[in-house]
Amino acid sequence: MNAQAVLALTTIGAGLVRDIVKQINEHRAAASLPPVTAQELHDSTESILKETENIQ
Amino acid sequence: MYHMSKRKFIAILGVPLLALSLMATPACNHPASTVGAPMVQQSDQIKALQTIHDVAEGLLSVSKAEAQAHDQGLVDAQTHAAFVSARNKAVASLRAANDAALKAGDRATAKQAIQIAADALSGLVKDGTAAIKNPTTKASVLAGIAALQTILEAF
């Protein structure tokens, strides 16, 4: 096998690794995400506070 | 059939696999690592927002209970008005705490947001419950607020 062939296979291998790492990181990010976003939690709290203010 | 040398085999498969194993190492398993820091900060922000959310829900329940007691004649109009005024001050402070938690970038700033919420509840105990004369109603409201304070202290 010549140097070009080795380089080509290495490049393909590196691309494959990037794809796998990307999938792993995406999976990990999805697993560590909280059930709701910070903004959604904030807005939900604001809604509750407004409801509380309206109790007379 | 071409016979690949050991060196070429390592170059083609070994290096990418080594890179894969290094890149896939969970950063969060290393508390001292700066790589894992943003994830910790996000957790603190979410935890603070969730805690304040829980307290807001609790305050809503306490307010409903107090309003019901007023409707049943257990709390006079003047006392009820005093509670509503103090409660609305607490709501304003909780709103400030909620905004501060949204901007929290680390545990220290998240803790500051929690402290704003804690001060809000202390003010409600002092100003909102002092005028309640009915012991049962007063005990219920105080117990409700104490439960919320426990949630904040657990942060």
Side-chain angles (χ1 to χ4, degrees), chain B residues 58-59 61-67 69-70 75 79 83 87 121 124-125 128-130 132 134-149:
Chain B
L59 183 59
S61 297
V62 170
S63 297
K64 282 179 177 174
E66 191 279 336
H70 174 241
V75 177
T79 304
F83 178 84
R87 182 205 68 199
L121 293 184
L124 184 57
V125 169
T129 63
I132 300 175
N134 182 283
T136 307
T137 306
K138 189 165 187 165
S140 299
V141 172
L142 282 173
I145 297 171
L148 303 181
Q149 286 172 322

Side-chain angles (χ1 to χ4, degrees), chain A residues 1 6 9-10 13 17 20-21 24 28 34 38-39 41-42 44-46 48-53 55-56, chain B residues 2 8 12 16 20 23-24 45-46 49-50 53 56-57 60 63-64 67 80 87 91 95 98-99 102:
Chain A
M1 185 182 288
V6 171
L9 280 172
T10 306
V17 167
I20 295 170
V21 169
I24 291 172
R28 189 184 296 158
Q39 189 65 54
L41 265 174
H42 173 273
S44 175
T45 301
E46 177 57 33
I48 292 166
L49 293 175
K50 278 181 182 163
E51 188 182 343
T52 306
E53 278 178 326
I55 296 174
Q56 295 300 325
Chain B
Y2 179 77
K8 284 177 183 171
I12 294 167
L20 174 66
M23 291 169 79
Q45 180 200 36
I46 293 292
L49 284 164
Q50 185 65 62
H53 187 273
E57 279 187 328
L60 175 62
S63 297
K64 282 179 177 174
H80 175 66
R87 182 205 68 199
V91 165
R95 183 170 282 130
N98 192 35
D99 292 345
L102 185 63

Side-chain angles (χ1 to χ4, degrees), chain B residues 65-125:
Chain B
E66 191 279 336
Q68 197 175 16
H70 174 241
D71 290 343
Q72 291 171 353
L74 296 170
V75 177
D76 64 72
Q78 192 179 359
T79 304
H80 175 66
F83 178 84
V84 168
S85 174
R87 182 205 68 199
N88 285 346
K89 274 187 193 173
V91 165
S93 294
L94 279 179
R95 183 170 282 130
N98 192 35
D99 292 345
L102 185 63
K103 293 173 188 165
D106 55 21
R107 176 143 186 93
T109 46
K111 190 82 181 167
Q112 284 171 5
I114 294 294
Q115 189 56 51
I116 295 170
D119 292 344
L121 293 184
S122 297
L124 184 57
V125 169

